[in-house]
């Protein structure tokens, strides 16, 4: 397949490219600067511009654009940036996919779609939850569905917390645990729907290659863990105790609205679609995913 990727320089995109190329696919990258390599094509999603011929011969487009949800304190300005960094690129790509009759659009989304599920297990059939993140994800997915006008198969990747040896969640937590400052967040009973980086990119490739998959797809490990369980497992993997408790009020002071929508609540989301179509997880348990990330 010829696969065009937007957001190729991020944590997931940079890991996905070599996996797809090793599998024999041709990969082209959309870049916001002047293209400087044979595999690059230019675009400016905020200006609604896509280089002429950027999608010529494309069999699929993968859209992974979006500013980091938990990287900064949530202010009203930051929330606008989180929304626009997803909606604007997705609108441009979905409409281009429809117009140029590209067969497949695989678009980013997140388990934040479900809001706070408590201990209730949710799969892809669940409805949207409440809150800014849930609303963001719902708008994001509706925008991607515009590609269906041209007959494209559209899959939305409701990704959980990606466990990577560099960057992402572990990039933030590992230094704290190394300094003996690790601990659970609030009650610790909120669920954390994790997935290893290997399975994240493996599942994206699986979705690209499997014509039966469309609509929402939970990219999460099969056994979501509570924050307490995750904290204990990470401490064990790093060989560091994690005795502390970060109270909710401290998280709210540090993170703003993200504390109540991304740190103190969670989703007990399971990958029903992936399991139904036969995806085999490389790291089916939290311990295996953390060991793989830490060992690297």
């Amino acid at each position: 397949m010829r696969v065009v990727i937007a957001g190729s320089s991020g944590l997931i995109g940079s890991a996905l490219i070599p996996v797809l190329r090793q599998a024999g696919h041709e990969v082209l990258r959309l870049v916001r600067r002047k293209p400087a390599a044979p595999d690059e094509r230019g675009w400016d999603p905020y200006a609604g511009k896509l280089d002429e011929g950027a999608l010529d011969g494309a069999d699929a487009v993968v859209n992974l654009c979006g500013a980091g949800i938990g990287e900064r304190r949530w202010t009203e300005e930051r929330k606008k940036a989180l929304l626009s960094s997803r909606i604007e690129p997705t609108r441009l790509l979905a409409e281009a996919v429809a117009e140029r009759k590209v067969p497949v659009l695989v678009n980013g989304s997140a388990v934040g779609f479900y809001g706070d599920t408590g201990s209730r297990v949710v799969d892809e059939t669940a409805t949207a939850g409440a809150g800014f993140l849930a609303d963001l994800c719902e708008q994001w997915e509706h925008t991607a569905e515009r590609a269906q006008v041209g007959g494209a198969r559209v899959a939305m990747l409701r990704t959980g917390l990606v466990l990577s040896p560099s960057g992402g969640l572990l990039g933030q937590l590992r230094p704290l645990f190394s300094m003996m400052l690790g601990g659970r967040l609030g009650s610790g009973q909120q669920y954390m729907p994790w997935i290893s980086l290997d399975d994240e990119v493996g599942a994206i490739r699986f979705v690209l290659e499997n014509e039966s998959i469309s609509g929402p797809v939970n990219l999460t490990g099969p056994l979501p863990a509570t924050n307490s369980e995750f904290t204990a497992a990470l401490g064990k993997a790093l060989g560091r105790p994690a005795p502390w408790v970060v109270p909710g009020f401290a998280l709210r002071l540090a993170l703003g609205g993200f504390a109540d929508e991304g740190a103190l609540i969670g989703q007990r989301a399971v990958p029903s679609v992936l399991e139904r179509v036969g995806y085999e997880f490389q790291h089916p348990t939290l311990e295996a995913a953390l060991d793989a990330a830490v060992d690297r």
Side-chain angles (χ1 to χ4, degrees):
M1 301 171 67
R2 171 177 279 193
V3 182
V4 178
I5 300 181
S8 63
S9 62
L11 176 71
I12 297 170
S14 58
L16 177 62
I17 289 173
V19 168
L20 292 181
R21 286 176 172 163
Q22 189 174 10
H25 302 302
E26 178 187 2
V27 177
L28 300 177
R29 298 178 293 136
L30 292 180
V31 297
R32 299 184 188 184
R33 49 173 170 74
K34 184 177 180 180
D39 67 341
E40 294 181 349
R41 302 292 185 270
W43 75 321
D44 184 346
Y46 296 104
K49 296 180 180 179
L50 184 66
D51 278 3
E52 187 70 27
L55 301 187
D56 285 355
D59 298 294
V61 171
V62 178
N63 176 25
L64 302 173
C65 292
I69 291 290
E71 290 180 357
R72 300 181 192 174
R73 179 183 171 85
W74 279 12
T75 61
E76 288 305 312
E77 182 179 358
R78 181 59 178 173
K79 288 197 286 187
K80 289 178 182 178
L82 293 174
L83 185 62
S84 65
S85 68
R86 288 162 172 78
I87 301 302
E88 298 305 319
T90 300
R91 180 184 294 115
L92 176 58
L93 289 175
E95 292 177 352
V97 163
E99 180 181 345
R100 293 161 175 76
K101 305 297 183 184
V102 178
V104 180
L105 172 62
V106 175
N107 204 80
S109 186
V111 291
F113 175 91
Y114 303 111
D116 184 10
T117 69
S119 61
R120 175 172 56 94
V121 176
V122 292
D123 65 9
E124 292 85 352
T125 63
T127 56
F132 170 74
L133 273 183
D135 182 62
L136 180 153
C137 291
E138 193 170 21
Q139 290 187 56
W140 198 3
E141 294 185 9
H142 284 328
T143 304
E145 289 172 345
R146 296 185 181 201
Q148 295 173 344
V149 173
R153 172 172 67 93
V154 179
M156 280 81 75
L157 308 174
R158 292 179 182 168
T159 295
L161 300 165
V162 180
L163 304 181
S164 164
S166 60
L169 177 66
L170 293 188
Q172 296 175 322
L173 293 181
R174 195 166 183 169
L176 296 176
F177 277 70
S178 297
M179 294 185 290
M180 307 293 188
L181 296 176
R184 64 176 171 84
L185 306 180
S187 71
Q189 296 308 300
Q190 66 273 31
Y191 274 85
M192 299 179 66
W194 56 270
I195 186 169
S196 74
L197 180 61
D198 288 333
D199 278 316
E200 175 76 8
V201 299
I204 294 174
R205 175 190 165 190
F206 191 79
V207 170
L208 278 169
E209 296 174 346
N210 194 313
E211 295 181 358
S212 68
I213 301 177
S214 62
V217 185
N218 286 349
L219 265 57
T220 62
L223 299 170
T226 66
N227 176 258
S228 290
E229 293 167 341
F230 182 92
T231 300
L234 179 56
K236 182 178 179 181
L238 294 173
R240 295 288 190 274
W244 309 108
V245 177
V246 183
F249 76 86
L251 286 169
R252 293 184 181 97
L253 286 173
L255 303 176
F258 177 68
D260 286 311
E261 292 201 42
L264 295 172
I265 69 167
Q267 301 80 28
R268 195 175 182 180
V270 294
S272 293
V273 169
L274 289 178
E275 292 182 320
R276 184 173 67 247
V277 295
Y279 178 76
E280 295 185 9
F281 283 87
Q282 299 177 57
H283 304 118
T285 67
L286 174 60
E287 291 74 16
L290 287 173
D291 286 345
V294 170
D295 284 347
R296 292 180 187 175

